[in-house]
Amino acid sequence: MLGDILNITLIASVIRLSTPLVLASLGGLYSERGGVINIALEGIMLAGAFTAAAVTYFTASPWIGLMGAMMAGVAVAAIHGVATIRYRADQVVSGTAINILFFGVPALLSGALFDSTGATPQLPREQVLPDVLVFDPAGSPMLASIFNQKPIVYFAVAAVAATWYVLGYTSFGLRLRAVGENPEAADTAGVSVFRMRFTGVLISGALAALGGAYLSIGQNSLFTRNMTAGRGFIALAALIFGKWNPVGAFLACVLFGLAEAVAIRMQGTVNIPNQFIQLIPYVLTMVVLAGLIRRASPPRALGVPYVKE
Amino acid sequence: MKRLVGELIFPLLAVVAAFLIGAVVVLAIGDNPIEVYRILLTSAFSFHDALGNFTFDNWGYTLFYATPLIFTGLAVALAFKCGLLNIGAEGQLYVGAFAAAWVGITFTWLPGIMLIPVAMIAAMAAGAGWGAIPGYLKAKFGSHEVINTIMLNFIAVGILSYLTQRHYKVAGDPIMQTVEIAEHGQIARLHSFLSPFGIDFPQRIPLNFAFILALLACVAFYFFLWRTKWGYEIRAVGSSQSAAEYGGINVRNQIILAMAISGAIAGMVGINEVLGYRYRYYHDFSANYGFTGIAVALLGRNHPVGIVLAAILFGALIRGGLFVDIFTDHVSKDLVQVLQAVIILFVAMEALFRQILRRKTA
C-alpha cells in the first residue's frame, strides 16, 4: 500500500517537473530544426516566468499572465532572431547575451515595480493557474492527483503530438526542416530562409516562455530570482538527447524530470549524494553527443548563418 | 593607423549604443540616466571620495573586479583563436579555485615559498584538465564544445558542491564554503608591494598579486600566440582547419591543447579568489565571470591590450553598480548585467554597424 502511494506521488511529481522542460525543449526544437542554435532558452524561460507573475499581479488574471509571458517570450526570441538571422551574429554568443540579459532584467524591473529585486509579490491562491481534472478515477484520490494538473501540462502533451505532426507531415514542417538542413536548396526552391528561420525562433520563444510561466504561476505563486535554475539548459540537453525529434525530446524530458524527482525524494534518506543524481542529464547528454550510446546528428546547417547569394 | 581605427570603432560603438539603451531603461524605470552614469563612473574611476578626500578605493576595487575578467577574457580569446567557443570558463574557474583551496588546506606542512606556487599550479592544472575534456571530445568524436562546456559547467558545480558540503566544510557552518587555507599559503595584497615605496595603498582593498599575474598572463598570451610554433599552429587551425591540416598541423592535438590552455587561464581566477581574497573556496563565488569573459574577449577583439581595457570597463561596471544600487531610488545593480548583455549583442552584430556606417558615408 505504502509503495503504491509513493509510486503515484512520484509520477505526479515527474509530471510537474517535466512540464517546463518539455515546453522549452519543444521550443528549442523549432528553432534548431530551422538551423538556429538556441541556448537562450534559459533566458527566455526567465522572461516568461517573470512576466507571467508580474502581469498576473497587476491584472489578477493568470490567463492574461500567460498571454503576457508568451508575448514576452516572442519578443525576446525576436532579439535573438534579428541578431543572428538578420545581422548574422554568432548564435551561441547572442544566446549567451540573452541569458545574461534576463538574469538582470527581471531583477531590475522587479526592483522598480515591487521594491524587491529578489522576488515578485506572492499571488493569492485564486490567482495562480487552477488545477483541471480531466479524468476522475472514482474512489482513488491518489490516482486522481495524476489527472488533476495545470492546463499547461495538458497543453505540453498536446504540443508534443502537434509538433510531431507539424514537423513531419505539413508543408510548414518540411520547409522548416529544409532551411535547417540545406538552406541553399530551400532557397532555390523558393522558400524564404529568413522567414522560416525567424518563425521557428519566434515559436521557440512562445513555448519556452510558457515553460517559464508554469514555474511562476503554475507550480509556485511568485517569481523568484533565477527560478529556472538551469532548466533551459536541461531542456537543451533533452533536445540533443532526443536527437532533435519531438517524441525523443519529450521522452528525454520525462527521464530528466524523473531524475530530478528521485533526487528530491532521496534528499537526506539514502546515502547517494543528490548532487550526483542531478548531474545525470548533463552526463548523459555528453555521452550521447560523443556517440557512445547512439549517435545524435544535429540539423546539418545548425549554427550556420545563411547569406543569400 | 587606419587599421587601429577599424579595430577600435566597432567596440566603441557597441559600448556607446549599450549605454544609450541603458539610459532608456533607466528613464523608463524612473531615474535620471545622467545621474546614474555619473554615480557609476565616479565610484569606479575617481581618486576622490564623496567628501573630496584622496582615495585608492575606487580604482583599487575596479581593478580587483577586473582581475578575474582578464583571466576569463584571455581564456575565451585563446579558444577563439583556435576557432573554438569556450562557454566553459565558468566551470573551469570553479575547478581551479577548488584545487587551489584544496592544496592550501591539505599541504599546510609545505613552506609558503612552495605552498603558494603549488597551489597556483594546481589551479591551472585543474582548469586545464577540465578544459581538456571538451577539447578531447571535440577532437576525438567531433562533439560540439559549446554543449559539452555548458554541461561541464553544471557538472563542476555539482561535484564541487558535494565535495564542499561533505568533506571540506567547517562542521555546522551553514555557508557553503571550505575551511580556510593555511596563512602562509595566502598571497600578498597590493598594500605590501606599494608600502615600501611610501605609497599608502590600504590593506583592506583586496587587489592582490593575482592582478600582476593577470598582466603577465597578457604578455605571455601575446608571446605564445604570435611568437611560438604552438601558438602559430593554434591560430592556423582557427583560421582554416583544412588548410592547417594540409600544412601538416595535427589539428586534433591543437584543439585539445587550445582548450587545455584556455582552461588553465580560466583556472587562474582561483588564484585571485582563493589565495588572494577569500582564503577559502566559497561555493558559487563567481559572478558569471566565465560568461562575462566572452564579452571581454569580444569587446577586446581577442587582443591582450583590448582584453585588459575591456576587463577594466566591466570591472568598473561591477564596482559602480554597487553604488548605483545604494544611491538611486529605483535602479538596482542589475543594470550592469543589462549593459553587459547589450554590449555583447552589439559587438556580435557588427554587420549592423557596418550597414549604418556604409549608409552614412554613401
Side-chain angles (χ1 to χ4, degrees), chain A residues 279 286, chain B residues 86 88-96 124-135 148-149 151-160 259-260 263-264:
Chain A
L279 296 184
M286 290 181 67
Chain B
N86 182 7
E90 193 77 4
Q92 292 145 17
L93 67 88
Y94 272 123
V95 173
M124 294 174 71
W130 206 249
I133 298 172
N148 281 329
T149 47
M151 301 299 130
L152 282 165
N153 286 343
F154 286 103
I155 295 173
V157 169
I159 293 174
L160 298 179
M259 282 304 290

Side-chain angles (χ1 to χ4, degrees), chain A residues 109-292:
Chain A
L109 291 182
S110 179
L113 293 172
F114 309 115
D115 265 335
S116 152
T117 58
T120 61
Q122 179 98 34
L123 296 166
R125 198 180 228 285
E126 63 277 9
Q127 283 180 19
V128 298
L129 289 167
D131 288 317
V132 178
L133 188 69
V134 284
F135 170 69
D136 193 1
S140 173
M142 263 301 167
L143 208 57
S145 73
I146 293 178
F147 297 102
N148 195 22
Q149 301 285 346
K150 307 290 173 194
I152 298 184
V153 174
Y154 307 122
F155 176 83
V157 177
V160 175
T163 302
W164 169 79
Y165 177 76
V166 166
L167 206 66
Y169 302 97
T170 65
S171 69
F172 171 80
L174 179 67
R175 284 181 289 157
L176 184 69
R177 285 185 285 130
V179 301
E181 294 291 336
N182 193 338
E184 288 79 14
D187 197 5
T188 314
V191 177
S192 167
V193 178
F194 285 5
R195 193 173 306 155
M196 284 313 295
R197 287 191 166 178
F198 212 87
T199 311
V201 171
L202 294 186
I203 296 174
S204 85
L207 288 173
L210 264 187
Y214 178 73
L215 294 173
S216 65
I217 61 170
Q219 264 183 319
N220 298 285
S221 52
L222 76 170
F223 171 87
T224 55
R225 200 185 183 104
N226 199 23
M227 83 182 306
T228 51
R231 285 189 180 80
F233 294 111
I234 297 191
L236 188 70
L239 178 62
I240 296 162
F241 193 65
K243 296 165 111 179
W244 285 271
N245 168 322
V247 179
F250 170 73
L251 293 175
C253 288
V254 173
L255 176 68
F256 294 172
L258 176 69
E260 202 186 340
V262 171
I264 293 171
R265 180 147 309 204
M266 282 177 36
Q267 224 150 16
T269 55
V270 188
N271 208 18
I272 301 174
N274 74 320
Q275 283 105 334
F276 289 167
I277 299 170
Q278 282 164 346
L279 296 184
I280 289 172
Y282 309 117
V283 175
L284 278 181
T285 302
M286 290 181 67
V287 169
V288 167
L289 259 191
L292 296 184

